[in-house]
Amino acid sequence: MLSLGNSYDRDEVAEFVGRIEKTIGQVTFATELKYDGVAISLTYVEGRLVRALTRGDGEQGEEITNNVRTIRSVPLVLRGARVPDELEVRGEIVLPHARFQALNDARIEADEEPYMNPRNTAAGSLKLQDPKLVAQRGLEMHVYGVIGPDLGTSHFGAIERAGELGFRVPSVSQRRIERCNDLAGIMDFISYWEQARHDLDLDIDGIVIKVDDLNIQEELGYTAKSPRWAIAYKYQAEQAETTLVDVTFQVGRTGAVTPVAELRPVLLSGTTVKRATLFNADQLARLDLHYGDRVVVEKAGEIIPQVVSVKVDERGPDALPVRFPEKCPECGTPLIQEDGGIQHMCPNDRSCPPQILRRIEHFIGRKAMDIEGLGGETIAALYEAGMIRNVADLYDLQREQLLALGKGWGERKADGILTGLIKSREVPFERVLFALGIRHVGETVARKVARAAGSMDRLRSMGREELLAMDEVGEVIAESILEFFGRDEVEVLLHRLREAGLCMEVEATDGSLSKKLEGKLFVVSGVFENFSRDAIKRTIEAHGGKVSGSISSKTSFVLAGTDMGPAKRTKAEQLGVRILDENGFLEMIA
Ligand code: IVH
């Protein structure tokens, strides 16, 4: 697989067009998005997918056929009557933002390090050993080239033909591919996507301009590295330069220590960035950061700000290197290393304050016990006052004790907390299990495990093999569950939570309220008056509906609260998806 000539300024694009017009005369160009993912080549023989190769090291591709078979936009069998004997389809595998975000949300919830960006995550996903896991990632294939017989003489036409054969191809109406007859048309395409790329659900790093006529492409041929008939115009990644003020080391719920760059505030694509993740010791070593360094920050996949490089030339002679601490910055316990030295952990889970606080915060969180009246600050205050050391202590809180805390602790607040705690007894077992914060047991795993085991007692008694037999449970999760239930303090904790009245088994009813929303797919956006975001999602599901993160042609309704983003609205309107407000929704389920 070759690469494309890159240009960062429009004059170079004009030169490219000029060069071609000089040798060939007037030609038509096809303009496309330059997807930022993993290049892939698919071979079909007699209409069946037989091989999927990535670029590998550039010389020798890497075969990943079984993993690619799980990608929904890759047809396993070509459609239609006139299927060619042999066909090669080229394109890019990407991970859409919504899937990347969901994956990282789950990782953060399980106190795992978030992935860096969608491109690396897509590449990593394609290397997974288990195709089932690949299928869950939600990768997409975007076609940009077709090689085979009977494709006509136009690149644009060949892409359309790929669409007929069953591929998801770039949409003309959304301007994802266009035919341009002159430089002005190309420039207009560049300008359009310069802005519009921010609303896309995937990363592009530029656009590609190709001579449309396949015969002329052949006539122009290739240089040693790239085709003479195409050029990429790359958008500048949104970067900003600032100063590294400090590096803090944050201790998560499970003791994982993450370095965070504290920066002099700087504006980056519309938001002020003050902090950026440094991921782990590996990344810290790669950057060779020194205190006071001038650093370049970038929005990775336009989502998480990260430090991408250091201006070594601007470093003062006395600058001190940033080192990973050997002891926990919070409790002083020597750190241990996992994952071959990449991940540092504080093993003091019993008395390291941030671990305790994060565990309690996780427990009260909306996706867990959803305890109204309690939040991060209240938890910190109760901890400071020595009233809570674990989640079971919450259920021993007394009204007088809360009122005695003094300023800011009125009757309303105290009663709010106590009512919230009482209401949390209604929370179903699967969320109680999630709330315990077992490492690697995120929301989905907790739901599956709770339903499969049926009760806390049953789960506690399960051995390795039994755990492994459950959906979603692999080695890592099984080990983690066994380790959790093996701890002495967990036994006491669970006993106390049971005494407090929390739900320790799957209820006889399945929690469903009606089938009014059966077959309907909702996308929820904005803020609601009567529901939290999670509550409205649960309500949809309780009435038989489904919820998805991103709008597509399959979406039945976009449920819009106040502050719904304009991009979502436009997308819904473009796809003709009905937008429903909160009152409309209430009427629907009434
Ligand atoms: S055409 C000879 N079209 O960019 C290569 N490539 O720098 C012809 N890419 O590895 C490639 N979007 O994976 C082409 N619309 C597009 C593309 C595209 C992304 C990637 C491709 C290639 C790299 C070239």
Side-chain angles (χ1 to χ4, degrees):
M1 284 187 197
L2 296 163
S3 61
L4 285 167
N6 286 331
S7 63
Y8 288 90
D9 85 54
R10 293 178 185 226
D11 288 348
E12 288 177 60
V13 176
E15 275 168 30
F16 165 78
V17 172
R19 230 172 16 243
I20 285 171
E21 284 179 347
K22 207 166 148 204
T23 35
I24 309 285
Q26 190 79 30
V27 298
T28 300
F29 293 93
T31 46
E32 292 173 356
L33 304 182
K34 186 170 188 320
Y35 309 101
D36 193 9
V38 180
I40 188 101
S41 154
L42 308 176
T43 305
Y44 289 81
V45 175
E46 289 169 359
R48 289 179 186 278
L49 175 65
V50 294
R51 198 165 49 247
L53 294 178
T54 62
R55 195 186 172 87
D57 59 9
E59 290 280 326
Q60 180 82 49
E62 195 178 335
E63 183 167 353
I64 48 160
T65 316
N66 286 339
N67 281 347
V68 168
R69 280 182 197 281
T70 68
I71 299 173
R72 281 167 72 183
S73 38
V74 172
L76 300 178
V77 179
L78 298 179
R79 218 169 50 195
R82 290 186 305 121
V83 166
D85 283 347
E86 187 150 350
L87 186 78
E88 184 185 342
V89 176
R90 292 189 179 179
E92 200 90 347
I93 305 267
V94 304
L95 185 66
H97 289 166
R99 302 304 294 244
F100 175 70
Q101 190 71 60
L103 203 60
N104 265 353
D105 286 350
R107 286 185 72 83
I108 290 164
E109 238 157 44
D111 207 27
E112 291 168 335
E113 202 180 294
Y115 291 124
M116 279 204 199
N117 59 42
R119 189 211 315 115
N120 291 359
T121 314
S125 304
L126 289 171
K127 290 195 184 127
L128 289 172
Q129 296 296 325
D130 182 356
K132 263 198 264 166
L133 293 178
V134 185
Q136 287 165 10
R137 291 280 161 102
L139 296 166
E140 286 178 356
M141 152 101 177
H142 292 265
V143 174
Y144 60 65
V146 201
I147 304 163
D150 305 328
L151 292 168
T153 56
S154 142
H155 168 73
F156 186 92
I159 297 282
E160 277 186 326
R161 176 83 182 108
E164 290 164 11
L165 291 168
F167 286 90
R168 179 156 1 127
V169 293
S171 129
V172 179
S173 63
Q174 289 176 8
R175 293 193 75 176
R176 292 191 183 201
I177 185 167
E178 207 157 88
R179 265 207 273 215
C180 306
N181 290 320
D182 54 18
L183 187 62
I186 296 173
M187 292 304 169
D188 186 57
F189 192 81
I190 291 178
S191 303
Y192 176 77
W193 284 107
E194 181 130 45
Q195 288 308 317
R197 71 189 164 126
H198 301 298
D199 300 327
L200 277 172
D201 192 35
L202 52 91
D203 285 343
I204 63 166
D205 56 352
I207 67 147
V208 184
I209 303 132
K210 300 175 178 173
V211 169
D212 185 53
D213 189 306
L214 298 175
N215 293 326
I216 301 178
Q217 282 190 6
E218 206 176 309
E219 192 181 331
L220 287 165
Y222 295 81
T223 69
K225 282 187 284 182
S226 47
R228 287 201 185 87
W229 44 263
I231 192 169
Y233 175 84
K234 295 250 235 170
Y235 294 117
Q236 289 291 344
E238 305 218 27
Q239 292 189 333
E241 216 183 290
T242 183
T243 305
L244 177 73
V245 178
D246 197 5
V247 174
T248 50
F249 292 86
Q250 293 194 341
V251 184
R253 170 162 57 84
T254 56
V257 182
T258 309
V260 177
E262 306 287 342
L263 305 165
R264 182 174 296 158
V266 62
L267 202 63
L268 183 59
S269 27
T271 46
T272 303
V273 175
K274 292 187 213 130
R275 317 180 80 203
T277 176
L278 292 164
F279 294 102
N280 52 34
D282 231 23
Q283 174 79 347
L284 210 57
R286 195 181 67 75
L287 292 168
D288 184 28
L289 269 190
H290 285 55
Y291 291 98
D293 269 347
R294 289 291 289 168
V295 295
V296 178
V297 285
E298 195 176 293
K299 286 237 174 135
E302 322 246 338
I303 298 173
I304 313 168
Q306 59 180 260
V307 175
V308 287
S309 62
V310 176
K311 301 262 169 180
V312 181
D313 302 350
E314 295 175 36
R315 180 180 292 158
D318 305 327
L320 293 173
V322 177
R323 301 241 182 272
F324 217 97
E326 288 177 2
K327 291 182 176 164
C328 173
E330 301 281 347
C331 73
T333 307
L335 298 179
I336 53 172
Q337 298 187 8
E338 285 186 4
D339 288 350
I342 295 177
Q343 184 68 66
H344 288 62
M345 308 287 297
C346 168
N348 177 20
D349 57 340
R350 292 194 187 197
S351 51
C352 178
Q355 293 190 52
I356 298 175
L357 284 168
R358 297 293 101 75
R359 278 202 296 269
I360 303 176
E361 282 168 10
H362 172 78
F363 182 84
I364 63 168
R366 272 190 298 170
K367 291 182 172 170
M369 302 303 290
D370 196 12
I371 302 178
E372 276 171 43
L374 281 177
E377 275 178 36
T378 333
I379 293 295
L382 296 172
Y383 179 83
E384 280 291 306
M387 287 159 65
I388 51 171
R389 285 293 174 269
N390 61 45
V391 297
D393 292 341
L394 289 170
Y395 293 90
D396 288 344
L397 291 172
Q398 303 292 325
R399 192 165 187 269
E400 302 72 50
Q401 239 184 333
L402 294 175
L403 292 174
L405 280 168
K407 203 164 165 261
W409 288 84
E411 299 201 341
R412 258 183 70 178
K413 179 162 175 166
D415 289 339
I417 293 174
L418 295 172
T419 316
L421 285 161
I422 291 170
K423 274 215 251 166
S424 76
R425 293 182 185 144
E426 316 271 307
V427 168
F429 171 50
E430 59 190 52
R431 279 173 48 209
V432 175
L433 183 62
F434 170 64
L436 293 177
I438 304 172
R439 199 168 174 208
H440 305 298
V441 178
E443 217 187 338
T444 315
V445 175
R447 188 179 325 120
K448 299 244 161 117
V449 167
R451 289 182 188 171
S455 73
M456 195 71 87
D457 283 342
R458 174 91 183 81
L459 182 62
R460 260 170 71 187
S461 70
M462 282 183 165
R464 228 178 89 86
E465 295 307 317
E466 258 182 303
L467 289 170
L468 284 172
M470 288 195 266
D471 216 15
E472 298 269 340
V473 178
E475 300 281 343
V476 176
I477 298 178
E479 276 308 321
S480 175
I481 295 177
L482 287 172
E483 189 274 330
F484 180 81
F485 286 113
R487 292 190 221 162
D488 293 341
E489 77 272 16
V490 166
E491 194 170 338
V492 180
L493 188 84
L494 290 177
H495 176 76
R496 291 180 62 200
L497 290 177
R498 188 190 298 274
E499 292 286 294
L502 298 202
C503 184
M504 295 290 173
E505 57 205 13
V506 175
E507 297 276 324
T509 68
D510 61 1
S512 70
L513 298 172
S514 83
K515 290 194 187 318
K516 286 184 180 151
L517 306 181
E518 204 162 64
K520 302 277 187 287
L521 182 61
F522 285 77
V523 170
V524 177
S525 179
V527 179
F528 300 90
E529 214 173 296
N530 298 294
F531 303 89
S532 71
R533 277 276 277 273
D534 288 307
I536 208 158
K537 288 181 184 169
R538 287 200 293 272
T539 309
I540 293 170
E541 284 167 356
H543 288 279
K546 290 216 167 84
V547 182
S548 129
S550 59
I551 304 173
S552 74
S553 55
K554 296 199 187 96
T555 312
S556 327
F557 299 99
V558 172
L559 184 45
T562 51
D563 290 344
M564 165 159 129
K568 275 212 166 124
R569 185 171 292 276
T570 314
K571 184 142 187 214
E573 281 165 4
Q574 270 172 0
L575 293 172
V577 174
R578 216 178 116 188
I579 301 176
L580 195 67
D581 66 7
E582 190 171 346
N583 285 333
F585 174 70
L586 287 171
E587 275 169 29
M588 227 177 198
I589 58 169

